Each structure stands twice: as structure tokens, then as C-alpha cells.
Amino acid sequence: MIIAIDGPAGAGKSTLARRIAEHFGVAHLDTGSLYRAVALRALALGAAADPAVATPAARALDLSLLEDPRLRDDEVTAAASLVAAIPEVRDALLGFQRGFAHRPGGAVLDGRDIGTVVCPDADAKLFLTATPEARALRRSRELQGGSGGSIYGRVLADMKARDARDSVRQAAPLVAAADAIVIDTSTLDADAAFAAALAAIAGRLAVTKR
Ligand code: CDP
């Protein structure tokens, strides 16, 4: 069983994907971490936006980088969306993602293009969305704890810039698959989003079994 979870930054994909994977007892891959790892390597080599640097970094991806604490740094976050717009980088990461998805027992993958490109054959596809304000509030709380007040404005601006770049790029833009179930998490906490997602998946699996 393959479950695809896509959506913009801060919509709650990774938290939800982890819980869904745990619920079904299958593996989980946060595909954004692959683009972050490529960005980290390319930044170390001095040029994240240069295909001549980022493409070899993606082809020789060092999976130990997925554990690197610098992966969530602002600089790496911004660079990840630059390397993610390079078609050769996306191609280089496709095989690993598909291999992960098709492992025996199944998997949950979250990202931007799982339902559209990586796993168009997924058994259930969810597209999580929320207002930019709700997503920025969530992300700034995550980064800062408490209210997230003082960094909210910067997080909102960074997020809008990244969403725009992810949505307009030619290669695998951020878009809901035609057969994805859209869940707006603006007013849902993690438990409510989990309940909505489980109901949506159950509905989809019941239809495909018929
Ligand atoms: O956690 P957050 O949503 O902030 O970001 P992420 O999922 O770690 O993804 C970082 C960046 O990688 C995104 O801004 C996208 O540009 C890119 N990405 C992508 O293009 N395709 C994916 N399947 C996953 C991430």
C-alpha cells in the first residue's frame, strides 16, 4: 500500500505522514529531506542554484546527510527549493523515492509531487493545504516555541516566496493530483488532521477494493 501526501510548507504533511505510517505499520519517507540534503551538499560546494554543482550532488546523494541537524536551517530551506527546481536533480532523486515507495509492505511518502510524479499509482493521495497565515504561524511556533511572534513576519514572507517558486516551476510543480483528496488543515490540530486523513484513506481504499 502506497500513500502519497503532498502540499505546501507548514500544512502539516510530515507530522501527519509519520502518524499515518505508524498507524499502518509501514515505512515513511519525508522527500523534502532529500532536496534539503542535496542543498546542504551544494551549499558546502559553494553554489546551490548551479545545476553543474547540484546535479552531481543529487546523483551521489549521501543518505547519512538526512540525519544532519543543519537540514532545517533557513539557508538550507531556501536552497532546497532552488535545487528542487532543477529537472536533473529531480530525475536523480526519482529512483530512490520510487524504490522506497514500492518496498514490500508499503510506504507513506510526503512531498510536493508524490501523487503527480513519484507515485501516480499510489493507493491513496492526500493534498494538505492551509492558509499562508496558518502555515506561517505553525512553522514559526515550531522554530521558536510559544507564540512564535517575533519571527512570524519573516517566516510568512519566506514561505510565500518558496510556495511561489515551488508552484510556478516547470519541473514537477506543487499541484494536487486530479485524484487527490484535499484536506484544509487551517483550523485542524494534529489529531483532527489525522482523523480526517484516516477517514479519507479508508474511503479511498474501500473504493479501490471494489
Ligand atoms: O518542511 P517543509 O514543507 O518546509 O519543506 P520540505 O518538505 O522539507 O521541502 C523543502 C523543499 O524541497 C520544498 O520547498 C520544495 O522546493 C522541495 N521539494 C520538492 O520539490 N519536491 C518534494 N517531493 C519535496 C520537497
Side-chain angles (χ1 to χ4, degrees), residues 9 31 36 72 81 90 112-113 139 162 166 169:
T31 63
R36 287 172 181 273
R72 312 293 310 175
S81 102
R90 305 198 71 84
R112 303 290 189 287
D113 62 339
R139 186 52 54 93
R162 195 149 62 93
D166 289 348
R169 71 182 178 215

Side-chain angles (χ1 to χ4, degrees), residues 53-203:
V53 173
T55 304
R59 289 193 181 132
L61 183 63
D62 172 4
L63 292 175
S64 70
L65 286 178
L66 300 184
E67 308 304 321
D68 196 299
R70 291 170 298 177
L71 234 46
R72 312 293 310 175
D73 288 357
D74 285 353
E75 190 192 16
V76 177
T77 300
S81 102
L82 295 177
V83 302
I86 302 170
E88 293 81 4
V89 166
R90 305 198 71 84
D91 280 352
L93 298 178
L94 204 50
F96 176 75
Q97 295 176 85
R98 288 197 174 140
F100 191 100
H102 290 277
R103 61 175 51 204
V108 177
L109 281 77
D110 74 272
R112 303 290 189 287
D113 62 339
I114 309 304
T116 50
V117 175
V118 179
C119 301
D121 55 344
D123 299 281
K125 300 178 186 178
L126 304 179
F127 190 86
L128 290 200
T129 172
T131 62
E133 290 73 20
R135 295 189 286 111
L137 189 59
R138 216 173 264 156
R139 186 52 54 93
S140 43
R141 281 180 178 153
E142 237 170 61
L143 292 171
Q144 203 173 40
S147 71
S150 67
I151 62 166
Y152 172 80
R154 179 176 58 76
V155 170
L156 180 61
D158 287 356
M159 200 171 257
K160 282 184 171 168
R162 195 149 62 93
D163 284 353
R165 197 155 53 213
D166 289 348
S167 302
V168 303
R169 71 182 178 215
Q170 292 283 314
L174 169 65
V175 63
D179 54 349
I181 298 163
V182 178
I183 299 176
D184 187 329
T185 66
S186 302
T187 60
L188 304 182
D189 64 13
D191 287 345
F194 179 60
L198 276 189
I201 292 167

